[in-house]
Amino acid sequence: MASDIEIARAATLKPMPEVAARLGIPDEALEPYGKTKAKISASFIATLKDRPRGKLVLVTAINPTPAGEGKTTTTVGLGDGLARIGKKAAICLREPSLGPCFGMKGGAAGGGHAQVVPMEDINLHFTGDFHAITAAHNLLCALLDNHLYWGNALQIDTRRIALRRALDMNDRALRNLVVGLGGPANGVPREAGFDITVASEVMAILCLARDLNDLTERLGRIVVGTRRDRSPVTARDLGADGAMTVLLKEAFQPNLVQTLEHTPALVHGGPFANIAHGCNSLIATDTALRLADYVVTEAGFGADLGAEKFFDIKCRKGGLAPSAAVLVATVRALKMNGGIAKADLGAENVAAVTAGCVNLGRHIENLKSFGVPVVVALNHFTSDTAAEIAAVQAFCAGLGVEAILSTHWAEGSKGTEALARKVVELVDGGSARFAPLYEDALPLADKIETIARRIYRAGSVVFDKAAREQLERWQEAGYGHLPVCMAKTQYSFSADPSLLGAPEGHELPVREVRLSAGAGFVVAICGDIMTMPGLPKQPAALSIGLNAEGQIEGLF
Amino acid sequence: MASDIEIARAATLKPMPEVAARLGIPDEALEPYGKTKAKISASFIATLKDRPRGKLVLVTAINPTPAGEGKTTTTVGLGDGLARIGKKAAICLREPSLGPCFGMKGGAAGGGHAQVVPMEDINLHFTGDFHAITAAHNLLCALLDNHLYWGNALQIDTRRIALRRALDMNDRALRNLVVGLGGPANGVPREAGFDITVASEVMAILCLARDLNDLTERLGRIVVGTRRDRSPVTARDLGADGAMTVLLKEAFQPNLVQTLEHTPALVHGGPFANIAHGCNSLIATDTALRLADYVVTEAGFGADLGAEKFFDIKCRKGGLAPSAAVLVATVRALKMNGGIAKADLGAENVAAVTAGCVNLGRHIENLKSFGVPVVVALNHFTSDTAAEIAAVQAFCAGLGVEAILSTHWAEGSKGTEALARKVVELVDGGSARFAPLYEDALPLADKIETIARRIYRAGSVVFDKAAREQLERWQEAGYGHLPVCMAKTQYSFSADPSLLGAPEGHELPVREVRLSAGAGFVVAICGDIMTMPGLPKQPAALSIGLNAEGQIEGLF
């Protein structure tokens, strides 16, 4: 069995103009980055704004388990499947983060015969977007500390600076630090820290901005900290928004690559799915919708987090109306939700599969509550038995939903033809009546309650006192219209990662709230959220290198 | 009078394949980055290794003054001039650093009608090389702190860690910090700091490596710190060299752009000229020499630092033999060396020009001592008078050197035709007998003494006790064969920036020494050297932004 990297390297890629032509993108609208990556020019995108949008399909998943679900792989496979049945299709994915590549082995560009390529480039520097985001973010930080150094005319309370620095690296030693040491010539000492770049608010902003003007506006609204009277100080107050935009000008243009089957894929942006909304950029999705009839995209984590944020944050802000949702599940992951340990997944266990289906059922119900028709993609593993597959299909049928076995990992688009046909049927059926879960006008705390009760099925929400007070302050300060972005474990509907299946009546603790005023949401942190990962004892980096042929070894 | 940016924006650039064709680079050897930047592929470069090298011309300068000398502008102008007189010419320049763009207004891609373009891209992210260097550098740092976190099996003395982190940003608050705070889950607290990326040893290594294997070897030799017994711990000991190479694979390929007159320019690498050697990459220079008959390159700061390091570090390591040196001077800068304040430069003052010529004369003498014939390029300013120009020319004639007035800033290659003809005469005359200043075998302290006495004309060298002892330890540890890299003020032959002209008999203090074992030199620090700049009270960033046409404002 060939590995992902072997399959990717064996592929013959089409020249970018040929890939672009599938979406009617002319040569002159491509800014090449090497021979197999390109950016779609802002000037071309500006010409698209009056075109009608195609149909949007969200790929989401059950709660992730260590068994693996294959959400990105299914997104790629479905895109290829739609192309196979003659549809003008495009795929929208997030860009992978560089840092984690050196921790655990493995990429994030799909797998098997459902990958986007050039896979190594996409996983490493790609077109430099994340580096540009890091630079823009850290320029803001440098301007902030420079402002303190030169006398702090804005009277920023150095104890209440919310802004942390960013680096696309897993580096736990940078989580908490004291900067500005070394005496008066070297700044003002204060507590600070670094987050990984995907956790930067600049990343979330890049992914939600409509155009460069909106990008500048949003960057300007970033709250870097407060004064003693708790009034906010913004990036615009520091004069940073213009220069940050200049650094992001190229990064804001969506990247175009291809799948192994040459389906156009826009891989652009990649905000964290916990403290941010976990979707690729709005500009990429919107561009794809103006160019293709069917656009397949994905959202981070399981549907409780990813789909909810996709609907309530990205679709709300971007005026998007998804036509269908594909819910990815695997027999293995359902078994784990049914109480089986990873080591015991090899043996057939229909009862465990059926028990685990409660997780699947809950997600189906939730997705439908947004007014979006659902199909289940059962991502096939060779260890799945016919009886196990049948159990899933029977369970779904009971909910009026089809579960379609998909073998794209092994077979590419041949394995998603049935899924693609079903998606087209749902989309073209026009049954979608998309509506977000809550209105803008609902108070912030009530938005959190609504998500907790309706999506997570929590029995109660317990706010830490400081979090409750902070929400009230923001409500008064005019941030009450913002949607909320839930930061919760992805492994359970609850805040307890060990509660698999479909728990209900649990208590959701809201320990902390953060304001992403530029991105345009309030983050509710329910549990411990890591914004700067560490490296394991034996990081993948130790075995990464170039071989005698100059090929990368050990990364995937 | 049009500004640099206005001239650059008004230029019509040739497609990259056309620029490349001037050097016989085929289309398939180009990795495009947008439409007006490209990397020259490693596989093509590998095919060049048995070709004869063309002739190498160094552009250097008198000691810089606030009046400006125009070394990069002259390098570009001379390259264009050589092309104008029908020579197959290429230019090799350093890449500008991103961070300083947001401090002081102004770019580093030449000026007037002697610029490399696309000027804005070159000054900002360009092809992402510096971001890749930052990432490779910080991966090493993350692996180091991760090693400490997981038990420090190598027994690194956390008080004697030499490695600092890197960021391409002017951010003084990051100069000195304490990392690893926040308890046992967040690392091992220790003192640390950030340097700007151009000060990273990884940058110097990228600029001195012959090929990817050599790059890996050199990265592996970086000494990150020592054990309690003072034995060195290297990047290879940490297992970082392979992964760092993977991150630098694309960055190691030279960038190709063009001048306003479409002369090919390889703009690649940009190490600091103080704690590093201040030259563009060896791989770019070598590639250019295999492709062009005349290659014009520059070195940082004045000839006392830049040319000496170019000869003793870059040429020594790369087996390069320069055929001629162009020494750039301006009437204004000579006047300042003659004791005139910047405010008084407008008035004619032949006596001051003549007095300042001692600086020029000393550099001429030094350059000749390396066995390289010299021509002076007198970079014309509109305020220069005929008498002042004549004074410089008479002074140079007395030393048997021609001083040629060059008007490339205002006129492009038309203004360097005479200079180009003189350079060709010197090069083709074959009078060069290049030899570095000292032998590898000379002990480290004696190398420093040799440079100090023969180039700086110091009367004595005073080593701090710790520096002297450190040199002895490195001498014993097998680093004695390395060349030395002097970190001294660029404003004077001495260590005192206020001693202009041609001081002699002064005392050179060597306060600190640092080992760049990967780059392959020992740094001797003579005075205060800043490796992380700060921002001014009104940083340029505050007025940078996009205008209504989407053009960058306020950067240049």
Side-chain angles (χ1 to χ4, degrees):
Chain A
M1 182 95 38
S3 69
D4 289 354
I5 182 69
E6 285 164 350
I7 294 169
R9 282 188 184 151
T12 305
L13 277 60
K14 297 254 192 236
M16 290 313 295
E18 219 172 296
V19 176
R22 293 193 178 200
L23 295 179
I25 304 172
D27 274 24
E28 60 270 21
L30 293 181
E31 297 282 336
Y33 279 71
K35 295 193 176 73
T36 53
K37 300 163 285 179
K39 283 192 169 281
I40 305 174
S41 76
S43 54
F44 174 71
I45 291 173
T47 68
L48 303 176
K49 65 177 195 297
D50 295 325
R51 287 204 200 175
R53 279 171 169 166
K55 301 296 185 183
L56 182 58
V57 178
L58 173 70
V59 176
T60 181
I62 60 172
N63 289 94
T65 70
E69 287 68 43
K71 197 169 48 194
T72 302
T73 306
T74 303
T75 306
V76 173
L78 174 57
D80 284 337
L82 287 164
R84 185 186 185 89
I85 63 171
K87 301 299 178 189
K88 191 174 181 183
I91 295 163
C92 287
L93 294 174
R94 287 167 292 165
E95 297 180 57
S97 179
L98 180 65
C101 289
F102 299 100
M104 306 293 281
K105 202 169 156 168
H113 291 273
Q115 297 186 49
V116 283
V117 280
M119 180 261 230
E120 290 158 295
D121 297 40
I122 292 170
N123 276 294
L124 292 174
H125 304 294
F126 199 21
T127 58
D129 293 344
F130 285 18
H131 292 318
I133 290 165
T134 305
H137 183 114
N138 290 329
L139 174 61
L140 176 57
C141 301
L143 289 169
L144 170 62
D145 273 298
N146 193 54
H147 183 86
L148 302 180
Y149 175 81
W150 288 105
N152 195 10
L154 290 168
Q155 298 192 283
I156 300 164
D157 183 346
T158 57
R159 306 163 312 165
R160 295 190 189 274
I161 290 173
L163 184 71
R164 291 160 57 85
R165 282 176 174 79
L167 213 57
D168 195 4
M169 195 58 64
N170 286 22
D171 193 347
R172 73 168 68 70
L174 294 181
R175 280 176 195 155
N176 302 290
L177 30 86
V178 175
V179 298
L181 298 174
N186 298 302
V188 178
R190 65 177 186 87
E191 287 187 58
F194 278 76
D195 291 332
I196 192 163
T197 298
V198 291
S200 159
E201 188 181 347
V202 178
M203 173 70 83
I205 288 172
L206 183 108
C207 289
L208 287 168
R210 286 187 309 277
D211 52 37
L212 282 173
N213 285 335
D214 188 37
L215 183 71
T216 305
E217 286 299 313
R218 287 173 179 274
L219 292 170
R221 288 201 289 267
I222 295 174
V223 172
V224 299
T226 64
R227 298 182 187 82
R228 289 248 168 189
D229 65 3
R230 299 292 185 93
S231 60
V233 178
T234 67
R236 185 175 305 114
D237 295 333
L238 288 168
D241 46 337
M244 292 171 77
T245 305
V246 165
L247 282 171
L248 294 170
K249 195 160 94 76
E250 278 74 39
F252 189 62
Q253 299 179 134
N255 305 299
L256 181 69
V257 292
Q258 61 193 289
T259 68
L260 291 171
E261 301 189 10
H262 319 302
T263 307
L266 281 74
V267 180
H268 192 222
F272 251 20
N274 45 36
I275 59 144
H277 62 294
C279 307
N280 74 282
S281 78
L282 177 61
I283 184 95
T285 303
D286 190 57
T287 300
L289 285 168
R290 309 287 177 182
L291 295 167
D293 296 328
Y294 297 84
V295 174
V296 187
T297 190
E298 60 161 0
F301 295 156
D304 53 328
L305 282 165
E308 187 273 315
K309 296 191 204 184
F310 174 78
F311 294 141
D312 282 324
I313 299 177
K314 182 172 174 176
C315 291
R316 179 193 304 263
K317 306 242 174 207
L320 303 174
S323 298
V326 176
L327 183 61
V328 180
T330 62
V331 164
R332 292 158 55 87
L334 290 171
K335 274 186 200 170
M336 290 195 80
N337 266 290
I340 300 299
K342 195 177 175 190
D344 301 326
L345 290 176
E348 182 180 82
N349 191 331
V350 175
V353 170
T354 304
C357 277
V358 293
N359 187 269
L360 181 60
R362 172 76 59 80
H363 287 296
I364 291 171
E365 204 178 311
N366 284 345
L367 289 168
K368 284 182 172 175
S369 75
F370 286 91
V372 178
V374 181
V375 57
V376 170
L378 196 57
N379 184 16
H380 184 249
F381 275 66
T382 48
S383 59
D384 301 350
T385 71
E388 289 172 330
I389 292 165
V392 180
Q393 290 177 321
F395 174 87
C396 291
L399 297 174
V401 166
E402 213 169 315
I404 299 177
L405 192 67
S406 297
T407 57
H408 43 286
W409 186 84
E411 300 189 292
S413 66
K414 189 167 162 247
T416 51
E417 218 183 292
L419 178 66
R421 290 194 193 282
K422 181 67 195 176
V423 164
V424 169
E425 181 194 314
L426 288 180
V427 168
D428 293 358
S431 64
R433 298 287 177 274
F434 170 70
L437 187 65
Y438 51 81
E439 298 299 317
D440 289 352
L442 198 67
L444 292 167
D446 294 355
K447 287 171 182 161
I448 296 170
E449 290 257 4
T450 302
I451 297 168
R453 291 176 187 276
R454 301 226 348 239
I455 304 296
Y456 308 158
R457 316 296 167 100
S460 58
V461 181
V462 178
F463 292 88
D464 271 21
K465 184 164 170 290
R468 167 74 75 182
E469 288 169 359
Q470 184 60 264
L471 286 176
E472 283 162 13
R473 267 195 301 274
W474 288 332
Q475 194 73 39
E476 284 164 28
Y479 297 112
H481 65 290
L482 296 178
V484 293
C485 177
M486 305 298 285
K488 173 184 77 67
T489 175
Q490 67 263 44
Y491 299 113
S492 170
F493 277 103
S494 74
D496 173 358
S498 69
L499 281 185
L500 305 189
E504 56 188 352
H506 45 88
E507 180 182 293
L508 186 80
V510 178
R511 298 201 174 135
E512 184 194 339
V513 287
R514 295 183 195 170
L515 177 62
S516 291
F521 49 68
V522 167
V523 184
I525 296 180
C526 315
D528 296 327
I529 298 298
M530 178 76 71
T531 51
M532 172 51 93
L535 291 169
K537 187 165 186 180
Q538 289 292 323
L542 305 191
S543 48
I544 292 173
L546 296 180
N547 65 20
E549 286 77 50
Q551 286 176 328
I552 299 170
E553 295 271 353
L555 190 52
F556 310 105
Chain B
M1 180 102 30
S3 69
D4 289 356
I5 182 69
E6 285 164 349
I7 294 170
R9 281 186 183 152
T12 306
L13 276 61
K14 298 252 190 235
M16 290 314 294
E18 219 172 297
V19 176
R22 293 195 178 199
L23 296 178
I25 305 171
D27 274 24
E28 60 269 23
L30 293 182
E31 297 282 337
Y33 280 70
K35 294 193 177 78
T36 53
K37 300 162 282 177
K39 283 191 168 281
I40 305 173
S41 78
S43 54
F44 173 70
I45 291 172
T47 67
L48 304 176
K49 66 176 193 297
D50 295 326
R51 285 205 201 174
R53 279 171 168 165
K55 301 297 184 182
L56 182 58
V57 178
L58 173 69
V59 176
T60 182
I62 59 171
N63 289 93
T65 70
E69 287 67 44
K71 199 168 48 193
T72 302
T73 306
T74 303
T75 306
V76 172
L78 174 58
D80 283 338
L82 287 163
R84 184 186 186 88
I85 63 170
K87 300 300 178 187
K88 192 175 181 183
I91 295 162
C92 287
L93 294 175
R94 289 167 290 165
E95 298 181 56
S97 179
L98 180 65
C101 289
F102 299 100
M104 306 293 282
K105 201 168 159 171
H113 290 273
Q115 296 187 49
V116 283
V117 280
M119 181 261 231
E120 289 158 294
D121 297 41
I122 293 170
N123 276 295
L124 293 173
H125 304 295
F126 199 21
T127 58
D129 293 344
F130 285 19
H131 292 317
I133 290 165
T134 304
H137 183 114
N138 290 329
L139 174 60
L140 175 58
C141 301
L143 289 169
L144 170 62
D145 273 299
N146 193 54
H147 182 86
L148 302 179
Y149 175 82
W150 288 105
N152 195 9
L154 290 167
Q155 298 192 283
I156 299 164
D157 183 346
T158 56
R159 307 164 311 164
R160 294 189 189 276
I161 289 173
L163 184 71
R164 292 159 58 83
R165 282 175 173 79
L167 213 57
D168 196 3
M169 195 58 65
N170 286 21
D171 193 346
R172 75 168 67 69
L174 295 181
R175 281 178 195 154
N176 303 290
L177 31 86
V178 174
V179 298
L181 298 174
N186 298 303
V188 178
R190 64 175 185 87
E191 288 185 58
F194 278 76
D195 292 332
I196 191 162
T197 298
V198 290
S200 159
E201 188 180 347
V202 178
M203 172 69 84
I205 288 172
L206 183 109
C207 289
L208 287 168
R210 286 187 308 277
D211 53 36
L212 281 173
N213 286 335
D214 188 37
L215 182 71
T216 306
E217 286 298 314
R218 287 173 179 276
L219 292 169
R221 288 202 289 269
I222 294 173
V223 173
V224 300
T226 65
R227 299 180 186 83
R228 288 248 167 188
D229 66 4
R230 300 290 185 95
S231 60
V233 178
T234 67
R236 185 175 306 112
D237 295 334
L238 288 168
D241 47 337
M244 291 172 77
T245 305
V246 165
L247 282 171
L248 294 170
K249 196 160 92 75
E250 277 75 38
F252 189 61
Q253 298 179 133
N255 306 300
L256 181 67
V257 291
Q258 60 192 289
T259 68
L260 291 172
E261 302 190 10
H262 319 301
T263 307
L266 282 74
V267 179
H268 193 222
F272 251 21
N274 46 34
I275 60 144
H277 62 295
C279 306
N280 74 283
S281 79
L282 178 61
I283 185 96
T285 303
D286 190 56
T287 301
L289 285 168
R290 309 287 178 183
L291 295 167
D293 296 328
Y294 297 84
V295 174
V296 187
T297 190
E298 60 160 2
F301 295 156
D304 54 328
L305 282 166
E308 187 274 316
K309 295 190 204 185
F310 175 77
F311 293 140
D312 281 325
I313 298 177
K314 182 171 175 177
C315 290
R316 180 193 304 264
K317 305 241 175 208
L320 303 175
S323 297
V326 176
L327 183 60
V328 179
T330 61
V331 163
R332 291 157 56 86
L334 289 172
K335 273 188 203 169
M336 290 196 81
N337 267 288
I340 301 299
K342 196 177 174 189
D344 302 327
L345 290 177
E348 181 180 79
N349 191 331
V350 176
V353 171
T354 305
C357 276
V358 293
N359 186 270
L360 180 61
R362 172 75 60 79
H363 286 297
I364 291 172
E365 203 179 313
N366 284 346
L367 289 168
K368 284 182 170 174
S369 75
F370 286 92
V372 177
V374 182
V375 57
V376 170
L378 195 56
N379 184 15
H380 184 250
F381 275 67
T382 46
S383 59
D384 301 350
T385 71
E388 289 172 330
I389 293 165
V392 180
Q393 290 178 322
F395 175 86
C396 291
L399 296 173
V401 165
E402 213 168 316
I404 298 177
L405 192 68
S406 297
T407 56
H408 42 286
W409 186 84
E411 301 188 291
S413 66
K414 186 165 164 249
T416 51
E417 217 184 293
L419 179 66
R421 291 195 193 281
K422 181 67 195 178
V423 164
V424 169
E425 182 195 314
L426 288 179
V427 167
D428 293 1
S431 64
R433 298 287 178 275
F434 170 70
L437 187 66
Y438 52 80
E439 296 300 316
D440 289 352
L442 198 68
L444 292 167
D446 296 354
K447 286 171 181 161
I448 295 169
E449 291 257 3
T450 301
I451 296 168
R453 291 176 185 275
R454 301 231 343 241
I455 303 296
Y456 308 159
R457 316 297 168 98
S460 59
V461 180
V462 178
F463 293 88
D464 271 20
K465 185 163 171 289
R468 167 75 75 180
E469 288 168 1
Q470 184 59 264
L471 286 176
E472 282 162 13
R473 268 194 301 274
W474 287 333
Q475 195 71 39
E476 284 162 27
Y479 296 113
H481 65 290
L482 296 178
V484 293
C485 176
M486 305 298 286
K488 176 184 76 68
T489 175
Q490 67 264 42
Y491 299 113
S492 169
F493 277 103
S494 74
D496 174 358
S498 68
L499 281 183
L500 305 189
E504 57 188 349
H506 45 88
E507 180 181 292
L508 186 80
V510 178
R511 299 200 175 136
E512 186 193 339
V513 287
R514 295 183 194 168
L515 178 61
S516 291
F521 49 69
V522 167
V523 184
I525 295 180
C526 314
D528 295 328
I529 298 297
M530 179 76 71
T531 52
M532 173 51 93
L535 290 169
K537 188 164 186 182
Q538 288 293 324
L542 305 192
S543 48
I544 292 174
L546 296 180
N547 65 21
E549 286 76 49
Q551 285 177 328
I552 299 170
E553 295 270 353
L555 190 52
F556 309 104

